[in-house]
Amino acid sequence: MRKITRRSFLAAAAACGAAAALTACGGSSASTAASSTASSAAAADGQTYTIGICQLVQHAALDAATQGFQDVLTEEFGDNVTFDLQNAQGDSATCATITNGFVSAGVDLIMANATPALQAAQAATDTIPILGTSVTEYGVALGLDNYDGTVGGNVSGTSDLAPLGEQADMIVEWLPDVKNVGLLYCSAEANSQYQVDEVQKYLEAKGVTATQYAFSDSNDLSSVCQQAANENDALYVPTDNTVAANTGIVDGICRPAKKPVFTGEEGICSGCGVATLSISYYDLGRTTGEMAVKILKGEADISTMPIENTNVTKKYNEAICDDLGLTVPEGYEEIEG
């Protein structure tokens, strides 16, 4: 997974797909006219924009956030916006190479998808606007003292943090007699550490023993996950990018062992979990795109823009719940697909 950076050949296809989705979605002449008007206005003043997108790794959640971001910019600016989408293949050092390249190229704005991408972008420039997305806690990610919800400087964005106390409640709601929960996460992801620390506190306050199981990268995920499954009644996985890219490993261990996995987001849940309190990463990306539009049009100062969030939804994985014989509590929606 740690490969040299290459430009994603999907960038052009994603931008075209965004335009196609706009035409298809709703199919109304009003939406088409609105898009045409926005594109015409952008063309009239001759303003064009180049957006650099650094995505940490390819998986469903991050892909959806990138697509939502691109869709909003394309709807607003049409052909007057160009995306340079690059994937770091899960390597933080490659994020630095990508973002430094964006700075050299003089892009108008950088969208950093996931915490290592945000960290790399912040280190690369203090002048080009940077919007993060799929980042859990900006204070932790950027090492900020007295973080109050606004980063300041040239950085803002959106957070994918679901209420961690409610996630702990979710586990107990599904498994009222649970005694031991293993918290599985990648130690290289600061936001994952933050989430498991918080969930551990909430679970222990409920009388549940919660034990952390950290793996360093995908190479030792299998052995650590096996140990966690052997020693616990259930597992919890936060919004962890390494697990998200390797859900098959977790599912291949936990489902045969009849150990339910609760997750911090829908993409991981669809691959290996039974239930989640999840946001829509597509909607999160759209919110990030709306922030970008305001910045590019001079309607907002990024230094004063607070980090934004989106709503969470209770969801469950029907196939895994059926295999484990679990009864779904009221109020949960089935994950589609």
Side-chain angles (χ1 to χ4, degrees):
M1 185 164 69
R2 299 177 180 271
K3 303 292 184 183
I4 189 168
T5 307
R6 61 179 177 85
R7 292 181 183 273
S8 172
F9 74 93
L10 292 176
C16 292
L22 172 63
T23 302
C25 184
S28 70
S29 59
S31 63
T32 302
S35 176
S36 176
T37 300
S39 298
S40 298
D45 63 18
Q47 183 68 55
T48 60
Y49 305 99
T50 300
I51 311 297
I53 301 176
C54 179
Q55 181 171 317
L56 174 63
V57 68
Q58 185 174 7
H59 64 67
L62 300 191
D63 291 349
T66 292
Q67 188 65 62
F69 177 81
Q70 289 180 302
D71 283 355
V72 169
L73 272 295
T74 301
E75 290 164 13
E76 181 67 31
F77 300 118
D79 294 337
N80 284 26
V81 63
T82 301
F83 302 104
D84 184 357
L85 169 59
Q86 298 192 45
N87 192 307
Q89 304 297 319
D91 187 4
S92 297
T94 302
C95 288
T97 302
I98 292 171
T99 53
N100 284 325
F102 290 158
V103 175
S104 297
V107 300
D108 297 294
L109 183 143
I110 296 172
M111 193 276 263
N113 195 344
T115 298
L118 176 67
Q119 293 167 332
Q122 187 202 39
T125 178
D126 60 4
T127 56
I128 297 173
I130 299 167
L131 289 176
T133 196
S134 313
V135 175
T136 302
E137 217 286 341
Y138 282 73
V140 172
L142 301 178
L144 304 176
D145 293 329
N146 302 316
Y147 170 66
D148 62 359
T150 300
V151 175
N154 64 321
V155 178
S156 190
T158 56
S159 170
D160 62 1
L161 181 63
L164 297 174
E166 292 180 25
Q167 293 194 37
D169 291 341
M170 171 183 64
I171 298 172
V172 176
E173 178 185 22
W174 279 73
L175 304 174
D177 298 325
V178 67
K179 301 298 183 186
N180 301 284
V181 174
L183 311 175
L184 181 68
Y185 72 102
C186 179
S187 59
E189 299 187 35
N191 282 321
S192 293
Q193 179 72 69
Y194 169 78
Q195 290 174 82
V196 296
D197 285 347
E198 292 299 305
V199 171
Q200 182 175 21
K201 293 176 186 176
Y202 285 115
L203 286 172
E204 290 178 346
K206 295 175 178 297
V208 177
T209 298
T211 305
Q212 296 187 15
Y213 293 82
F215 58 91
S216 58
D217 55 35
S218 59
N219 294 319
D220 64 340
L221 171 58
S222 180
S223 60
V224 175
C225 181
Q226 186 66 66
Q227 180 184 0
N230 290 343
E231 297 176 355
N232 293 276
D233 306 316
L235 272 64
Y236 169 78
V237 178
T239 56
D240 187 284
N241 290 292
T242 307
V243 175
N246 296 277
T247 56
I249 293 175
V250 177
D251 188 48
I253 292 170
C254 294
R255 196 181 331 191
K258 303 296 183 182
K259 299 299 175 70
V261 179
F262 297 89
T263 74
E265 62 95 5
E266 181 176 341
I268 300 176
C269 191
S270 65
C272 65
V274 297
T276 183
L277 294 181
S278 182
I279 65 167
S280 163
Y281 276 83
Y282 178 79
D283 290 346
L284 192 72
R286 288 194 65 91
T287 299
T288 315
E290 290 162 1
M291 297 174 74
V293 168
K294 293 176 183 177
I295 293 166
L296 294 172
K297 293 175 72 174
E299 297 174 352
D301 178 357
I302 191 170
S303 68
T304 62
M305 297 177 79
I307 302 303
E308 297 194 24
N309 299 80
T310 191
N311 295 328
V312 297
T313 304
K314 294 181 176 182
K315 296 203 170 184
Y316 74 98
N317 184 326
E318 182 179 36
I320 297 182
C321 287
D322 288 347
D323 285 349
L324 300 186
L326 293 173
T327 300
V328 180
E330 291 185 5
Y332 283 80
E333 300 177 8
E334 180 184 348
I335 295 175
E336 298 180 0

